[in-house]
Amino acid sequence: MLKRIICALLASVMITAALASCANGSESGDESGTRPQTDTNNEENTLEVLDIPDTRYNNTELCFLTRDEGSWSTVEIFADSNTTSSDNISYAVFERNDRILQKYGVSIKEYAVSDSYTAVTNEVAAPSGDFLAIVSNVSSATSFATSNYIWDLNSDQFDYIDLNKSWWDTDMAKNLSVNEMLFFATGDLMTLDNDATFAIMFNKSLATDSQLPNLYELVDNGQWTMDKLLDFEQRSVQDKNGDGSLSYDSDICGFAYTQDVAPCLLIAGGITLCQKDEEDIPFYELNIERTQDIADICKQIFSAEYTINMNEVSVGVEEAGKKCFGENHALFFGECLQCVTRVRGYDVDFGILPFPKFNQQQDGYHSLMHATASMVSIPKSVTNDDLLMVECMLEAMACYSVDTLTKQYYEINLKTKGAKDVESGPMIDMILENRACDLAYYYNLGSNNAFANIASCLLPTNNSSVASENTRALKSVKNGITSLLKKLEKYNAAT
């Protein structure tokens, strides 16, 4: 995926020269739509080309329905001409959109709402043309798909959205498809998918004080495992007032975490509830023994002797997390990458790591992308010539985001002001490149949130065994898959 390539370039001394050659050629406005891509065998570079019709749609607007959801509001689609270069993301968005306007005559607009489902339902029922594309969270996107409100991006009618191009997240596209149908996608066009991906931040000073090894090297050598996490958090604990209880703002804990960290460790251990067969049909299959082994060590990892649950702190999870980690009261902090920017204002020297593997024999590191991540889709209210324009502009915007939006997201938001060190760059690459996908999680398959119930077995407060939760989940998830497939069959019939 391109985000890995950009991040690697930023970590080198060739940052400016390498990025200047991306998607749109030079900064002087070359609109060739090509970018170099280095293959994994370090052979000669190939040239990746934006392949859409050279058509001008003069005086045409492409309006996106976007998210007005507080800290998860859409920032990647529209920026007005009053933005300045000091507002890095907005400036990058404006620059990309201006290229679209100059090249294709299309103005990018947005219509931000807090209730996207109602807006999409109304638009599909009675098309107004108020918006022609949708940016929503994954949970909303799955609802649009099962309600037959959005187009299948894998269908034959789309000739120019090429999800194999590096400006799209090709792995997520493959993993999120069902029966060869894909209704939403992400890639360089988005940044909130990055923000919603989980990582572990570590306090460098506390790591030094606890005489920990080089954690980056530990990751690179495949030795960053759950038992290491447990060992390191135990070493760092300091109950300063000796009251036998760790405080988020006065003691030092080994791990500050939120309610989302248990699912992260489940995914990090290589566990998903849904697999897919060779025909892209999901089926339920849980490795009970391995999941129980993960649960056993995680119950120790989450022990109140070493950790603090930010959800249980009275000031609120976001404020508690920032204060606990930002003021040097936690060795590790497990949260989404958006929290990198949330702790930016604190005087804490920190690095970024993926969530640990279960053991060294595991094939690699796996990351969870929260369902609040942004996805782009096209409503079924869009037809005929508008549909062609929309797909072409989505492809162009994704491509042109490479050396504008993605460059700024990495260079400014994560590395320069967030992680503060070049060594975290490859870690971020690894995290984003190895996002695992469980359809049971994203489509909420099964009754009473089966995925969350399995993940809760990792918590010391839960006495249920994995086997018992598996028994409860088995039938309901299978029924959920059957229901999902039937709803998507209706899509095909309606189309």
Side-chain angles (χ1 to χ4, degrees):
M1 181 179 175
L2 177 71
K3 293 176 180 179
R4 172 181 58 81
I5 298 168
I6 294 294
C7 198
L9 290 171
L10 285 169
S12 74
V13 295
M14 300 173 63
I15 294 172
T16 303
L19 287 170
S21 66
C22 287
N24 294 289
S26 69
E27 292 297 321
S28 63
D30 173 20
E31 299 292 348
S32 60
T34 61
R35 57 168 294 277
Q37 179 181 3
T38 305
D39 66 28
T40 57
N41 294 317
N42 295 320
E43 296 174 356
E44 65 180 24
N45 287 356
T46 59
L47 200 62
E48 196 166 32
V49 179
L50 173 62
D51 184 17
I52 62 174
D54 189 15
T55 302
R56 282 193 63 83
Y57 304 91
N58 291 326
N59 302 315
T60 297
E61 287 189 357
L62 171 54
C63 184
F64 287 73
L65 184 76
T66 59
R67 305 169 59 181
D68 182 9
E69 301 174 11
S71 59
W72 292 100
S73 295
T74 302
V75 297
E76 313 100 314
I77 296 300
F78 175 76
D80 62 35
S81 58
N82 295 322
T83 190
T84 66
S85 59
S86 61
D87 185 2
N88 299 289
I89 293 296
S90 294
Y91 189 75
V93 170
F94 177 79
E95 180 186 1
R96 178 202 63 202
N97 292 355
D98 189 58
R99 293 183 186 182
I100 295 292
L101 177 62
Q102 299 305 319
K103 175 68 175 176
Y104 301 105
V106 176
S107 298
I108 306 301
K109 305 293 183 181
E110 73 173 341
Y111 171 38
V113 298
S114 58
D115 181 4
S116 60
Y117 190 82
T118 297
V120 173
T121 299
N122 293 339
E123 181 65 18
V124 172
S128 66
D130 288 344
F131 58 89
L132 302 177
I134 304 166
V135 172
S136 68
N137 61 42
V138 183
S139 296
S140 295
T142 58
S143 295
F144 300 153
T146 55
S147 299
N148 194 20
Y149 289 164
I150 53 180
W151 289 108
D152 170 18
L153 302 178
N154 278 345
S155 68
D156 292 339
Q157 65 190 323
F158 291 103
D159 295 323
Y160 299 106
I161 291 181
D162 188 349
L163 296 167
N164 292 314
K165 291 290 178 64
S166 63
W167 41 79
W168 296 105
D169 189 326
T170 56
D171 288 338
M172 288 302 290
K174 180 180 178 181
N175 293 331
L176 285 169
S177 66
V178 179
N179 197 14
E180 305 297 344
M181 291 183 286
L182 178 71
F183 298 93
F184 40 88
T186 190
D188 287 276
L189 179 62
M190 299 285 104
T191 59
L192 285 186
D193 64 315
N194 297 346
D195 277 355
T197 303
F198 284 87
I200 289 183
M201 290 175 272
F202 74 96
N203 185 305
K204 292 186 175 181
S205 296
L206 294 180
T208 299
D209 292 345
S210 300
Q211 299 182 330
L212 303 189
N214 186 309
L215 298 180
Y216 298 120
E217 291 182 359
L218 206 66
V219 172
D220 288 338
N221 294 334
Q223 297 173 336
W224 173 229
T225 57
M226 293 182 189
D227 61 341
K228 289 288 196 303
L229 171 60
L230 176 60
D231 175 28
F232 297 160
E233 68 179 24
Q234 290 172 332
R235 291 196 213 177
S236 65
V237 170
Q238 295 182 39
D239 179 8
K240 293 189 175 182
N241 63 7
D243 65 356
S245 177
L246 295 176
S247 173
Y248 79 100
D249 59 354
S250 59
D251 298 319
I252 295 177
C253 70
F255 193 9
Y257 70 94
T258 68
Q259 63 187 9
D260 291 308
V261 170
C264 289
L265 284 166
L266 183 69
I267 290 289
I271 300 300
T272 55
L273 276 63
C274 278
Q275 320 296 326
K276 290 198 292 184
D277 65 21
E278 64 278 2
E279 295 181 349
D280 203 40
I281 303 297
F283 62 93
Y284 179 87
E285 184 175 272
L286 179 69
N287 186 329
I288 298 173
E289 181 179 356
R290 182 182 179 88
T291 306
Q292 186 60 60
D293 288 342
I294 292 171
D296 290 343
I297 190 170
C298 284
K299 286 181 186 295
Q300 299 177 66
I301 288 173
F302 290 124
S303 170
E305 292 183 64
Y306 325 119
T307 68
I308 299 176
N309 183 347
M310 298 294 100
N311 293 96
E312 296 178 353
V313 177
S314 59
V315 299
V317 60
E318 185 173 327
E319 188 62 30
K322 289 189 295 185
K323 188 174 182 65
C324 183
F325 186 72
E327 295 184 0
N328 300 290
H329 297 294
L331 172 63
F332 294 118
F333 183 29
E335 248 292 0
C336 62
L337 282 171
Q338 191 181 86
C339 287
V340 171
T341 57
R342 292 179 191 170
V343 299
R344 181 187 298 163
Y346 289 84
D347 186 22
V348 55
D349 187 13
F350 66 94
I352 299 172
L353 305 171
F355 269 77
K357 301 190 296 184
F358 171 57
N359 56 31
Q360 292 189 41
Q361 289 70 46
Q362 185 173 310
D363 59 351
Y365 300 97
H366 304 295
S367 309
L368 174 66
M369 182 184 73
H370 196 276
T372 197
S374 280
M375 294 283 161
V376 66
S377 56
I378 304 174
K380 279 202 162 182
S381 54
V382 181
T383 57
N384 303 324
D385 291 343
D386 283 342
L387 195 60
L388 176 62
M389 183 273 291
V390 172
E391 71 158 315
C392 289
M393 292 306 98
L394 288 181
E395 185 74 5
M397 289 176 70
C399 174
Y400 292 176
S401 293
V402 170
D403 65 341
T404 53
L405 182 59
T406 295
K407 173 183 176 180
Q408 289 302 322
Y409 184 80
Y410 269 104
E411 186 173 1
I412 304 300
N413 281 22
L414 286 183
K415 294 186 177 178
T416 305
K417 292 184 179 180
K420 299 181 182 179
D421 66 327
V422 174
E423 290 176 292
S424 282
M427 299 294 107
I428 297 167
D429 293 336
M430 184 181 296
I431 291 163
L432 295 178
E433 281 220 322
N434 292 281
R435 295 191 289 200
C437 175
D438 191 342
L439 292 173
Y441 171 65
Y442 291 125
Y443 275 92
N444 194 17
L445 301 177
S447 60
N448 300 319
N449 201 334
F451 179 89
N453 290 338
I454 296 292
S456 71
C457 292
L458 279 59
L459 298 171
T461 53
N462 188 338
N463 294 321
S464 296
S465 68
V466 171
S468 62
E469 287 296 343
N470 173 70
T471 299
R472 281 189 278 270
L474 183 60
K475 184 176 180 180
S476 66
V477 175
K478 286 184 175 180
N479 288 341
I481 293 172
T482 300
S483 176
L484 173 62
L485 293 173
K486 285 182 177 179
K487 289 176 180 178
L488 298 185
E489 285 175 9
K490 290 182 180 179
Y491 173 95
N492 278 329
T495 302

